[in-house]
Amino acid sequence: MVFGFTTCGPNECMVVSGCCLAKPLMVPGGRAFVWPVIQRVQRLSLNTMTLSVTSPRVFTKFGVAISVNGIAQVKIQGGNSDMLANACQQFLGKTPHEVSQVALETLEGHQRAIMGTMTVEEIYQDRKKFSNSVFEVASSDLVNMGISIVSYTLRDISDDQGYLHALGMARTAQVKRDAEIGEAEALRDAGMKAARAEQAKMAAQFENNTEVAKAQRDYQLKQAGYDEEVNSKKAQSELAYSLQAAKTRQSIREEEMQVKVIERRQQIQVQEQEISRKEKALEASVKKPADAEKYQMETLADARRKQVILEAEAEAQAIRVRGEAEAFAIEAKAKAEAEQMAKKADAWKEYQDAAMVDMVLETLPKVVAEVAAPLSQAKRIVMVSGGDGEVGAAKLTREVLEVVASLPDTVKKMTGVDVSQALSRK
């Protein structure tokens, strides 16, 4: 017998009934005072119960027998007084196993009913719809018993005729077929895209190679033009440098010669001043006139000797410096003439016969002068005539002209240039 203050945990409900109570006192998780003898205490479990709802060989909408297994979580609802009162009326005094068995039978009946309204394909393909249908239909009956469904899930579907396996095979074949078709189409598209990409790549590569070749050509042309300009400027600069260096060296030698001449002049002036000083000293001397005159004569003679020596040395130095300057000038002139001859040679290579004709015409007066030179040296000329033809100065002039007239043939034999033909072309 329980009496006094009695408690229960949050997972159970304590029901006190008896004297002094118009209706039973339901205490879900709490305490209550119980009078001994006149009141009674009963307990009801509020724990969640897990049910395995199995429906073997249930015929569906089109008469196909399948087996379904679902998992449900149910419990007596202690938070709602009405549901708790219904649960107390239904299950007070029963064990948890007996309560779960009642809930299991109810769920299985509703599960079988829902299976009969749906096809195998609907149950197999839309499990959520089946679970919701069972949950909604079964909840209405279980609520009247004070039991609430926490969750319901369809765990497994099976049959012993191979119907589900056949559905899977058909779907598998369809999926494989679609996969193979998709793979073939993907390979085809990939091949086409690869071919187009390769074509675009080759076109871009050819275009790029063309642009590179054009750029190289333009670069080489510009480089050749720059090299030609640089070489030309370099040659001009080197030639100008050489000419300027020659002029500078010549100017330096001339300046050195002028410096040495001035030094010699200054030395002569110093000697002259020394002679003058000595002469004045002699004049102021207290020697005897004879000694003074003798000393003066000796001093003057010595001074003149030194003056002559210095003048000779200065003259020799000037002659030597002048000779070096003339030699340098001759060398520079020879280089200039050599460059001129080289340029003339280049001009002769370019103009050939015209240059040879010009040279021959330039040389003819000198040749005529040399031919007539012996006549100018002769004191007397005796001419003998055979009686026919010209005599005297006319004959002499004609012979000189004949010698000159034979020069073109001589030039043609020596150089291969026909002066007469070249002049006729002009």
Side-chain angles (χ1 to χ4, degrees):
M1 180 66 65
V2 178
F3 60 91
F5 281 102
T6 303
T7 62
C8 65
N11 61 337
E12 62 181 353
C13 177
M14 183 174 59
V15 181
V16 181
S17 61
C19 184
C20 301
L21 294 174
K23 59 180 181 178
L25 176 65
M26 297 176 294
V27 182
R31 67 180 180 173
F33 184 83
V34 180
W35 291 98
V37 180
I38 61 175
Q39 291 183 342
R40 181 183 176 186
V41 177
Q42 293 177 293
R43 298 178 184 273
L44 185 65
S45 176
L46 302 179
N47 287 326
T48 299
M49 296 171 285
T50 301
L51 306 178
S52 177
V53 186
T54 303
S55 300
R57 291 190 56 81
V58 178
F59 290 97
T60 59
K61 183 176 182 180
F62 294 128
V64 180
I66 62 173
S67 299
V68 173
N69 179 255
I71 298 297
Q73 307 290 337
V74 298
K75 66 170 294 185
I76 295 174
Q77 187 59 258
N80 189 315
S81 58
D82 294 336
M83 292 180 66
L84 184 59
N86 292 334
C88 290
Q89 293 175 5
Q90 300 285 336
F91 306 114
L92 198 61
K94 295 183 179 292
T95 63
H97 176 70
E98 292 175 334
V99 175
S100 64
Q101 192 64 31
V102 173
L104 177 61
E105 295 293 336
T106 304
L107 279 170
E108 185 184 0
H110 288 293
Q111 181 172 278
R112 283 175 173 271
I114 297 300
M115 289 172 63
T117 62
M118 298 178 67
T119 64
V120 177
E121 288 80 1
E122 289 176 342
I123 298 172
Y124 179 75
Q125 295 174 0
D126 196 352
R127 297 189 177 196
K128 185 176 182 181
K129 178 181 178 182
F130 176 80
S131 299
N132 290 336
S133 299
V134 174
F135 182 88
E136 291 173 359
V137 173
S139 293
S140 61
D141 287 345
L142 292 176
V143 165
N144 294 329
M145 300 178 188
I147 299 175
S148 65
I149 301 175
V150 179
S151 68
Y152 173 83
T153 305
L154 180 59
R155 183 170 65 177
D156 185 32
I157 303 174
S158 63
D159 74 302
D160 54 2
Q161 302 296 324
Y163 187 86
L164 294 173
H165 181 67
L167 288 177
M169 291 180 63
R171 181 58 182 164
T172 301
Q174 182 181 0
V175 171
K176 287 183 177 180
R177 181 198 63 191
D178 295 343
E180 291 176 355
I181 294 173
E183 183 180 3
E185 291 178 350
L187 291 175
R188 180 199 62 193
D189 296 341
M192 294 174 62
K193 290 182 180 179
R196 287 195 293 267
E198 184 66 21
Q199 182 180 3
K201 175 185 176 183
M202 295 299 295
Q205 184 175 0
F206 292 152
E207 184 178 358
N208 184 56
N209 292 337
T210 302
E211 294 297 329
V212 170
K214 289 181 180 179
Q216 290 179 350
R217 181 199 62 189
D218 296 341
Y219 170 75
Q220 291 175 357
L221 290 175
K222 290 182 180 180
Q223 186 67 28
Y226 295 153
D227 292 342
E228 181 179 0
E229 184 178 357
V230 169
N231 293 332
S232 177
K233 294 295 183 180
K234 185 177 180 181
Q236 294 178 3
S237 176
E238 291 177 353
L239 181 60
Y241 174 77
S242 300
L243 293 176
Q244 185 62 36
K247 291 180 181 180
T248 303
R249 288 195 296 269
Q250 183 177 1
S251 176
I252 291 173
R253 290 184 179 277
E254 290 178 356
E255 293 293 333
E256 290 178 351
M257 183 181 66
Q258 293 295 331
V259 169
K260 291 181 180 180
V261 170
I262 293 173
E263 288 179 353
R264 292 300 181 182
R265 288 178 181 176
Q266 290 178 352
Q267 289 178 0
I268 293 172
Q269 291 178 359
V270 169
Q271 293 294 332
E272 289 178 353
Q273 291 176 0
E274 182 65 20
I275 292 171
S276 176
R277 185 188 66 78
K278 290 181 178 181
E279 287 178 352
K280 291 180 180 180
L282 286 173
E283 291 176 359
S285 178
V286 293
K287 290 183 178 181
K288 293 179 179 180
D291 294 337
E293 185 176 357
K294 178 180 178 182
Y295 180 74
Q296 181 179 2
M297 292 298 292
E298 291 177 353
T299 303
L300 290 174
D302 184 61
R304 288 192 185 94
R305 180 178 61 81
K306 291 182 178 180
Q307 180 180 359
V308 171
I309 292 172
L310 291 176
E311 288 178 354
E313 290 179 353
E315 184 66 22
Q317 184 67 21
I319 292 172
R320 185 178 64 80
V321 172
R322 192 179 300 110
E324 291 179 356
E326 291 176 355
F328 180 76
I330 292 170
E331 181 182 359
K333 182 178 180 182
K335 289 183 179 179
E337 290 176 352
E339 292 177 358
Q340 184 178 6
M341 291 300 291
K343 292 180 180 179
K344 284 184 177 181
D346 294 336
W348 289 343
K349 289 179 182 178
E350 182 177 358
Y351 297 104
Q352 297 180 356
D353 292 349
M356 295 293 292
V357 170
D358 184 69
M359 183 181 69
V360 170
L361 292 177
E362 186 179 354
T363 311
L364 278 177
K366 298 180 181 179
V367 174
V368 173
E370 292 298 329
V371 171
L375 296 177
S376 63
Q377 300 296 328
K379 295 181 179 180
R380 190 172 69 151
I381 299 174
V382 179
M383 303 185 67
V384 180
S385 175
D388 56 347
E390 297 177 349
V391 296
K395 182 178 182 180
L396 182 61
T397 303
R398 183 173 58 80
E399 291 179 353
V400 171
L401 292 175
E402 288 177 355
V403 173
V404 174
S406 63
L407 286 176
D409 294 334
T410 304
V411 171
K412 182 177 181 181
K413 292 177 181 179
M414 294 176 65
T415 64
V417 178
D418 192 345
V419 178
S420 300
Q421 186 177 357
L423 291 175
S424 65
R425 285 200 300 266
K426 292 184 177 182

